[in-house]
Amino acid sequence: MPVLRVLIADDNPVVRAGLTALLAATEGIEVVAEATDGREALRLTRLHAPEVVLLDVRMPGVDGISALPHLVRLAPVLMLTYSRESEIVREALLLGAGGYLVHGEFTPDDLIRAVRDVREGRPHFTPSAASTLLAELRTSSQPQRTVAQSSERLHNSVVFGLSSREVEVMELIASGMNNQQIAATCFISEKTVKNHINRIFAKLQSTTRSEAIARWLGTARPGVSGHG
């Protein structure tokens, strides 16, 4: 098995030492460098070409959020931090972070799994980060939803015969999420997401995401072409 190369960026030497010891003791993972701030993380990432960067948010000098957009051009980045503020979680994800883990909310096995998954493009979130993401999605995707619109969605769920989980997945589809993001938000596998989507498409008599969204939002009705 090829070795997965990791860089750790955190200004706390105790955290760095603990993470390095854990990952170094894991078969198939090698810690190639440690950085104490964002500037050093960027320099060492260019030098050592890690496959995953573990990045803290708050560091002296150049912090993690400032370094993030530059780092993601070089390697997948997994935020690993004590910061759980919704604004920070949101900004990190918008800037390209592949996951967000809050200290105290994951086990060593969770961390190892997250590092491997983020390398493969599968997102990972600990509970408070996932809750923040979901709350942010619900407020930002429908900021001006009216009672009438909510009633129409409920009416649509009855008309189309969607289960409560299918309604949740359909709402996330309508917000523009891909299957990976839906899986992470709902804490289900991508395979389960695909199964839900297949059932949703069948019930909405749709063959594409755009057609399903149009039907769900009420801009098209079954039997009316929504292709294109």
Side-chain angles (χ1 to χ4, degrees):
M1 179 187 294
V3 173
L4 195 164
R5 298 159 54 81
V6 177
L7 181 144
I8 298 169
D10 195 302
D11 64 309
N12 187 325
V14 176
V15 172
R16 282 201 317 275
L19 292 172
T20 299
L22 170 64
L23 295 174
T26 304
E27 186 177 355
I29 295 180
E30 177 189 1
V31 177
V32 294
E34 297 178 26
T36 57
D37 68 6
R39 181 177 286 104
E40 190 177 23
L42 192 55
R43 180 179 67 81
L44 293 175
T45 296
R46 287 176 175 142
L47 182 64
H48 295 281
E51 294 169 276
V52 175
V53 174
L54 299 185
L55 184 64
D56 188 20
V57 168
R58 292 193 172 93
M59 294 181 286
V62 177
D63 63 27
I65 294 296
S66 300
L68 180 56
H70 306 284
L71 288 168
V72 295
R73 296 188 188 125
L74 304 172
V77 175
L78 175 61
M79 306 306 294
L80 192 60
T81 176
Y82 286 100
S83 303
R84 64 182 74 201
E85 293 89 340
S86 58
E87 296 82 4
I88 293 175
V89 176
R90 179 178 182 275
E91 188 171 8
L93 297 177
L94 287 174
L95 290 173
Y100 200 106
L101 305 188
V102 177
H103 285 296
E105 296 185 359
F106 58 87
T107 67
D109 286 345
D110 291 335
L111 173 61
I112 292 163
R113 190 180 308 112
V115 168
R116 288 177 172 151
D117 280 353
V118 166
R119 169 66 183 85
E120 300 302 321
R122 293 187 290 270
H124 260 264
F125 306 97
T126 47
S128 64
S131 298
T132 295
L133 178 62
L134 190 55
E136 182 70 31
L137 170 72
R138 284 171 174 158
T139 19
S140 62
S141 65
Q142 297 293 335
Q144 310 203 342
R145 177 182 290 187
T146 63
V147 173
Q149 286 174 316
S150 297
S151 298
E152 184 178 348
R153 298 293 171 84
L154 178 60
H155 173 71
N156 282 354
S157 70
V158 174
V159 168
F160 293 120
L162 269 59
S163 68
S164 58
R165 176 61 100 178
E166 288 165 354
V167 168
E168 184 179 9
V169 171
M170 187 60 232
E171 288 282 84
L172 296 176
I173 292 171
S175 77
M177 277 197 176
N178 62 31
N179 288 7
Q180 280 187 356
Q181 293 166 325
I182 293 172
T185 302
C186 296
F187 297 103
I188 56 179
S189 69
E190 283 187 64
K191 183 178 179 182
T192 302
V193 172
K194 289 175 184 175
N195 290 338
H196 283 311
I197 290 174
N198 288 338
R199 287 194 292 271
I200 290 168
F201 279 13
K203 291 177 179 180
L204 268 61
Q205 299 177 32
S206 304
T207 56
T208 66
R209 260 175 148 80
S210 58
E211 190 177 3
I213 291 169
R215 297 262 165 79
W216 182 247
L217 297 180
T219 55
R221 289 288 177 261
V224 179
S225 175
H227 290 286

